[in-house]
Amino acid sequence: TCIALVLFVYLLFVTGFLGGFSTFSTAINEMVSLARNRHLAMAAFYVLVTIVVPVICVALGWIVGSLAH
């Protein structure tokens, strides 16, 4: 029924949203652990690959998407 579908979609999005939080927390924890253990080059690379590159990709996607209009 419609209620079951709404509940399913709600659970799907809540699970994904909360899963994103735990994934991000794990990534930040790894970066901090690397930096504390003096693996600064690896920590910087991890920040670059985990945060900087995705933000650049989003910005580029936004630009490309706006060109289509």
Side-chain angles (χ1 to χ4, degrees):
T1 65
C2 184
I3 294 173
L5 180 61
V6 169
L7 180 61
F8 174 75
V9 171
Y10 170 77
L11 291 174
L12 183 69
F13 282 107
V14 168
T15 302
F17 186 71
L18 295 177
F21 274 131
S22 65
T23 301
F24 188 72
S25 297
T26 301
I28 295 298
N29 186 40
E30 287 295 318
M31 290 176 220
V32 170
S33 293
L34 286 168
R36 282 185 177 164
N37 290 324
R38 307 271 189 231
H39 300 288
L40 300 179
M42 184 60 79
F45 177 75
Y46 204 86
V47 168
L48 182 74
V49 171
T50 306
I51 297 175
V52 176
V53 170
V55 169
I56 290 171
C57 289
V58 167
L60 289 173
W62 200 325
I63 292 168
V64 169
S66 68
L67 294 176
H69 288 95

